[in-house]
Amino acid sequence: MPADHDDADRFYKEFGKHLHDARSNAGLSQESLGAAVGLNRTSISNIEKGRQRLLVHQLPVLARVLGVSVGDLLPAAPNTDALRGLSGVDRDAIAAIRQAGSAATES
């Protein structure tokens, strides 16, 4: 498996852990979170395990339902190993999402 694929897998596994932790802290089941955001329980489970990728438009919906910022769900920093294998476009999208999340929490 190419290194870029391994890095993307690490990113999604770390994202899944953040999602799991936020869901648990919110006291929600996978089923109730899925219903609130338009996904089924299996999808939430697979996203939490890093097996299923999330569409970017679903990220702010998840954050809003969980009562966290988008940045709270993303891996710590754009230059971590978890992001190393992502393309420049993906890195730019993550940076823009983080910036938008920061601006929203500052307002």
Side-chain angles (χ1 to χ4, degrees):
M1 196 177 317
D4 287 352
H5 193 275
D6 290 342
D7 292 336
D9 286 346
R10 271 194 297 277
F11 171 85
Y12 285 103
K13 283 182 182 177
E14 188 174 340
F15 171 80
K17 181 180 178 339
H18 290 214
L19 178 63
H20 174 270
D21 292 347
R23 179 183 61 76
S24 294
N25 289 339
L28 297 173
S29 67
Q30 290 175 338
E31 188 171 358
S32 61
L33 176 59
V37 300
L39 296 170
N40 61 38
R41 185 207 57 79
T42 303
S43 290
I44 297 297
S45 175
N46 286 332
I47 292 167
E48 286 182 354
K49 292 176 181 172
R51 290 189 229 156
Q52 180 175 329
R53 295 183 176 188
L54 182 72
L55 297 174
V56 74
H57 72 275
Q58 294 168 317
L59 186 58
V61 176
L62 280 169
R64 188 172 33 252
V65 168
L66 294 169
V68 298
S69 73
V70 168
D72 290 338
L73 296 176
L74 295 174
N79 59 355
T80 64
D81 285 344
L83 300 177
R84 187 169 39 102
L86 298 178
S87 71
V89 171
D90 290 336
R91 286 172 180 262
D92 291 346
I94 290 168
I97 290 167
R98 283 195 172 120
Q99 185 176 14
S102 294
T105 55
E106 291 174 3
S107 329

